[in-house]
């Protein structure tokens, strides 16, 4: 089927004219507004979609959009703070420390820090001459009470095994701490009291030394 020359030209010019003026130019009919949106899609499609299918697509798109709106925003996880490592040792800390005489580890109580690398401690079972020891090899067993003050004297408590000074013999003898008086004196009970002397005797602090700490 051959078309007249003018008809061929009209067919070729229609798209350009339609784009410039916004009208659909039909070479064999009247001009009208250019189709847009769904109408344009239908004209471009090889065939028309059924009304039911189009409605289903619209509902699906609406549900999808609503689901996006309702999706809860992910909460930002709070950063877990690492516990701050407490360096060094404080008065009252329970520790294990290496004694300089035999280089063995023994339980002790921290009294105070002497310098950057040295602590003065009271061993749970010290020797009579050395009640306070300076140590550098030290390991924490348990933290003491926070804010405890430095101790420059070995602390004693009721029940501790002690040495008491016996003036008559000018020697130290085994005893047990029975009580601490209001005036600061310590009542000790001799393990082997003298036949003519008292079994329990009040002593000033400097006449009592720790033999074995009670926990």
């Amino acid at each position: 089927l051959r078309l007249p020359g003018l008809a061929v030209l009209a067919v070729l010019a229609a798209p350009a004219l339609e784009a410039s003026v916004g009208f659909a130019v039909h070479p064999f009919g009247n001009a009208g507004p250019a189709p847009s949106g769904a109408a344009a899609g239908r004209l471009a499609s090889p065939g028309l979609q059924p009304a039911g299918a189009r409605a289903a697509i619209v509902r699906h798109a609406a549900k999808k959009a609503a689901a996006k709106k309702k999706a809860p925003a992910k909460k930002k996880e709070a950063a877990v703070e690492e516990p701050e490592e407490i360096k060094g040792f404080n008065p009252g800390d329970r520790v294990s420390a290496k004694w300089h005489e035999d280089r063995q580890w023994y339980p002790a109580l921290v009294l105070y820090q002497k310098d950057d690398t040295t602590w003065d401690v009271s061993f749970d079972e010290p020797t009579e001459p050395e009640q306070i020891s300076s140590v550098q090899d030290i390991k924490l067993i348990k933290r003491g009470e926070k804010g405890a003050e430095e101790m420059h004297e070995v602390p004693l408590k009721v029940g501790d095994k002690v040495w008491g000074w016996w003036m008559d013999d000018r020697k130290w003898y085994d005893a047990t701490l029975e009580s601490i008086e209001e005036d600061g004196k310590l009542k000790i009970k001799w393990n082997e009291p003298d036949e003519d002397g008292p079994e329990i005797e009040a002593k000033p602090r400097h006449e009592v030394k720790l033999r074995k700490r009670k926990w």
Side-chain angles (χ1 to χ4, degrees):
L1 177 63
R2 291 185 177 180
L3 297 174
L6 291 175
V8 173
L9 292 174
V11 171
L12 294 174
L17 183 59
E18 178 183 342
S20 62
V21 301
F23 286 91
V25 179
H26 304 280
F28 305 109
N30 297 326
S36 61
R42 286 197 299 272
L43 288 175
S45 302
L48 297 177
Q49 294 179 335
R54 291 197 303 274
I57 292 172
V58 171
R59 288 196 299 272
H60 179 71
K63 288 181 180 179
K64 193 172 181 181
K68 287 182 179 180
K69 289 181 180 179
K70 292 180 181 179
K74 290 185 179 180
K75 292 182 179 180
K76 292 183 179 179
E77 295 183 1
V80 179
E81 294 184 1
E82 294 292 334
E84 184 181 354
E85 182 181 355
I86 302 176
K87 296 181 180 180
F89 304 92
N90 305 315
D93 286 351
R94 290 280 295 145
V95 296
S96 179
K98 189 179 285 187
W99 190 39
H100 63 88
E101 290 284 344
D102 59 7
R103 305 303 295 166
Q104 297 299 312
W105 293 88
Y106 297 102
L109 182 72
V110 175
L111 302 180
Y112 60 91
Q113 185 170 1
K114 196 170 186 178
D115 57 41
D116 290 343
T117 59
T118 308
W119 286 265
D120 273 9
V121 303
S122 165
F123 283 107
D124 287 356
E125 294 185 59
T127 62
E128 180 269 306
E130 187 180 319
Q131 289 284 288
I132 296 178
S133 302
S134 296
V135 299
Q136 292 183 327
D137 297 317
I138 186 170
K139 298 176 183 177
L140 180 67
I141 295 176
K142 184 180 178 182
R143 287 290 178 194
E145 186 177 343
K146 190 174 182 181
E149 295 182 359
E150 292 184 351
M151 295 172 279
H152 295 272
E153 189 175 53
V154 176
L156 296 174
K157 62 180 180 298
V158 174
D160 285 347
K161 295 183 183 301
V162 297
W163 285 290
W165 179 251
W166 185 257
M167 183 61 70
D168 292 347
D169 296 343
R170 302 188 68 80
K171 290 184 179 179
W172 295 94
Y173 289 104
D174 294 351
T176 301
L177 181 58
E178 291 289 308
S179 65
I180 300 174
E181 303 300 302
E182 292 182 1
D183 60 2
K185 286 189 176 181
L186 308 176
K187 278 191 175 181
I188 61 172
K189 182 179 180 180
W190 299 106
N191 287 9
E192 298 179 5
D194 190 81
E195 292 181 359
D196 299 329
E199 183 180 5
I200 297 176
E201 190 173 355
K203 292 284 185 180
R205 177 64 183 84
H206 66 274
E207 290 187 6
V208 179
K209 291 185 177 182
L210 177 66
R211 183 162 53 93
K212 184 176 181 180
R213 183 173 285 115
K214 178 184 177 182
W215 288 104

